[in-house]
Amino acid sequence: MAKEYLNYIDGKWVPSETGRVFEDRNPSDWEEVIGTFPKSSAKDVVKAIEAAKKAFPKWSKLPAPKRGEIMLRATELLVKRKEEISLLMAREMGKVITEARGDTQEAIDTGYYAFGEGRRLFSRNAPSELPDKLALTILRPVGIAGLITPWNFPMAIPSWKIFPALLSGNCVVFKPATDTPACAAEFVKIFEEAGLPPGVLNLVTGGGGEVGEAILTHPDIGVISFTGSVEVGARIAEIAGKHLKRVSLELGGKNPQIVMPSADLDLAVDGVLWGAFGTQGQRCTATSRLIIHRDVYDEMMDRLIKRVKTLRIGDPTKNETQMGPLVNEGQLKTVQEYVEIGKKEGASVAYGGERLTDGPLAKGWFHAPTILEGVKQGMRVEQEEIFGPVLSVIKVNDLDEAIRVANGVQYGLSSSIYTKDLRESMRAIEELEAGITYINAPTIGAECHMPFGGVKKTGNGHREGGWTVYEIFNEIKTVYIDYSGTLQRAQIDTDERAKISE
Ligand code: NAD
C-alpha cells in the first residue's frame, strides 16, 4: 500500500478540497509508488494563505533569536533523521545516496546559519545631517512568502528558502515539485515537531499551473521565491510584474569548465566527472560544456574517456553507486532528443549516447553518461540547458576564445577554469559572465553561507545563500528619531543650525 500524504495547512494534515491525488514513483523502479499526494487547487492555496495571514502578527512579533531557537530545533531533528531522509530522497528522485546525504547536510548547514542569523539580522545606522537626531534602518518581514521549488535538490533548495523566510518573521506557503513531495512533507513534519506554531508554514502539493499560479496571483502573497526553469521563471516575472510583487528567481545554467595547458589534467578530469555526471547532470550548476585548449585536448579526452567508463551506474540507495536514474520519463526523453540533435548538428558521440536497460536497470529511467565531441559554438547542445548527463566538448585555440565561448550563452550561473597560471585565473574571475567562478574546482560545490545565483537569464539579480538571501525576505525600514524637541527640517534647517553653532 502506498503511503498517503496530505497537505499541511494551519497546523493540520489535510486532504485537498478537490479530493484528487497524484502518485509519486521511484525513478529506479517505476513499479514502486513512494506515496500519493493531494492534487490541490486554488482553493487549498487560499486556505493556506488565510492560515498564514492569521499566524503572521504573532510570529512576526516573536523576537528573531526566539524564532532562531525553533530553527535550531528543526536543524537538530534533521541531523537525527539525516540517513532516513537521504534514503527517501534516493528512492524518490534517484540521487545517489552519497550525494543525497550532501543535499540533506546542506539543509542542516542552512538551518544552523539561520539560527545564528537570529542574533544578527544586521541593519545599519548613519549620522543624521541634523543634531540630536538618529538615522538608522531596521528590517521588517515582508509578510507571506510563496516558495516554489524544483525537484533536483529536494531538501537543500527548500531549506535555502524556508529557513531565512521564517527566521525573518514571514509566514510561508510552500509548493514543492511534483517529483519530490515526499521529501517536502518530511521537511515540513520536522518544523511541526520543532514547535513551529500553526499557520506559520503551510504545504500545498500539486501542479505548477494550478497551485503555483494560485500562489503567484494571490494579492496577499508579498514575496515569491522561485527556483526552476527559465521558461517558468519568465512567466512568474510577468505575473509578479503585473501585481508588483517582490520576486526572486534562480533559473537555469549552461556551465563551462575551461581546461588550459598548465592544468593538472587528472584533477581536471576528476572535476568534470563530478561536475557533469553528479546527480546525472541534473544540477543547475552541472558542467555541461567542457572547453579544452587544443594543446592538451587529446590527452584530456583520453584520460576522460578512460575514467567515464569506470562510473558505477545503478541503484542509488547503494553506497557504491555513482550514477542513478534520471528523475522521470520526460527527462529521459529530453536527454535522448538532445543526443540526436547533437548528432544531427555534426557532433559525434565519444562515449555513451544511449538509454541503459540491462538487468536491474530495466525498470528505471537510466541513461549512460554521454560525451559529445566536435561541438561548435552556437550548436543547440552547446547553447541549451539539457539537464541530464550530456557533456558537450569544445576545442579552442587560446584563453580569449575559451572565454568567448564560455560567455556566448544566455545563462550565467557557474563557471570553472583549471590552470596553474595566476594571470589566466584572474582573467577568468574578471571576465567570465557568471554568478560563481571556481578556480581548479568543478562548477558544482556551493557552500550555504556564501551568495548563490547567476547573471543574465539565470536570474533576476538576487542571491540565495549566506547573508544575501535575507535581503529577499526582509523589507528595509528607515527610522529617524528626533530628540531635539524642535522642528528640524532636513535640507532647510541644516544650514541655519550650522550658523548657530559657529
Ligand atoms: P520547472 O520550472 O519545471 O518547475 C519548478 C517549479 O515550478 C515546480 O514546483 C513546478 O511545479 C513549478 N511550476 C511549473 N509551472 C508553474 C507555473 N506556471 N507557475 C508557478 N509554478 C510553476 O523546473 P524543474 O524541472 O522542477 O527544475 C529544473 C530547472 O530548475 C532547471 O532549469 C534548473 O537549472 C533549474 N534550477 C535552478 C537552480 C538555481 O538555483 N539557479 C537550482 C536548481 C534547479
Side-chain angles (χ1 to χ4, degrees), residues 201-481:
L201 171 63
N202 304 277
L203 171 75
V204 184
T205 59
E210 213 169 347
V211 179
E213 296 256 343
I215 294 174
L216 302 177
T217 48
H218 196 289
D220 290 331
I221 294 281
V223 51
I224 295 152
S225 173
F226 170 82
T227 301
S229 59
V230 163
E231 296 67 35
V232 177
R235 163 107 190 108
I236 290 178
E238 203 182 311
I239 298 175
K242 204 163 136 200
H243 295 265
L244 291 176
K245 280 184 202 296
R246 176 186 287 233
V247 59
S248 154
L249 303 169
E250 297 288 344
L251 311 174
K254 189 72 186 170
N255 313 291
Q257 174 180 319
I258 298 173
V259 181
M260 295 302 291
S262 67
D264 174 337
L265 293 189
D266 284 329
L267 189 66
V269 168
D270 281 344
V272 73
L273 281 177
W274 177 229
F277 303 122
T279 315
Q280 294 74 261
Q282 303 166 118
R283 291 181 183 233
C284 50
T285 52
T287 311
S288 50
R289 295 180 298 153
L290 179 62
I291 303 172
I292 313 177
H293 191 284
R294 63 172 180 203
D295 291 355
V296 283
Y297 184 87
D298 291 341
E299 184 59 27
M300 177 75 192
M301 285 303 285
D302 237 36
R303 295 191 199 190
L304 176 60
I305 303 289
K306 272 192 198 117
R307 289 282 306 284
V308 75
K309 288 179 182 163
T310 67
L311 286 178
R312 291 182 298 272
I313 302 158
D315 180 351
T317 63
K318 298 224 163 83
N319 274 322
E320 62 275 16
T321 306
Q322 290 170 299
M323 268 183 76
L326 296 174
V327 71
N328 56 35
E329 190 178 10
Q331 205 68 27
L332 175 73
K333 285 205 168 125
T334 303
V335 168
Q336 290 175 308
E337 276 164 27
Y338 269 108
V339 172
E340 290 313 309
I341 290 169
K343 285 197 237 170
K344 276 200 197 113
E345 288 179 313
S348 59
V349 178
Y351 188 79
E354 75 285 315
R355 180 178 176 184
L356 302 175
T357 52
D358 280 355
L361 309 187
K363 285 192 212 157
W365 313 121
F366 292 89
H367 194 279
T370 297
I371 299 173
L372 298 179
E373 243 191 312
V375 174
K376 298 274 180 289
Q377 197 180 13
M379 287 183 178
R380 284 185 63 191
V381 289
E382 195 268 334
Q383 292 285 313
E384 297 172 19
E385 185 183 49
I386 300 173
F387 224 55
V390 182
L391 178 69
S392 297
V393 186
I394 306 133
K395 192 197 278 193
V396 293
N397 292 308
D398 52 31
L399 184 62
D400 284 339
E401 189 183 353
I403 291 176
R404 210 166 43 243
V405 169
N407 290 343
V409 294
Q410 61 172 345
Y411 299 105
L413 182 51
S414 188
S415 56
S416 144
I417 186 167
Y418 280 74
T419 175
K420 289 189 187 126
D421 185 313
L422 177 63
R423 194 173 152 66
E424 285 173 357
S425 304
M426 291 311 297
R427 278 198 59 196
I429 291 169
E430 285 172 10
E431 294 175 34
L432 285 175
E433 294 167 0
I436 307 165
T437 295
Y438 291 91
I439 307 297
N440 294 323
T443 57
I444 62 181
E447 298 181 29
C448 83
H449 57 293
M450 294 297 287
F452 180 93
V455 302
K456 303 201 290 199
K457 284 198 177 162
T458 291
N460 63 342
H462 289 285
R463 291 291 180 273
E464 295 203 300
W467 60 98
T468 40
V469 70
Y470 288 86
E471 292 165 10
I472 298 168
F473 293 110
N474 281 286
E475 294 283 8
I476 294 175
K477 173 173 279 190
T478 305
V479 180
Y480 297 103
I481 304 171

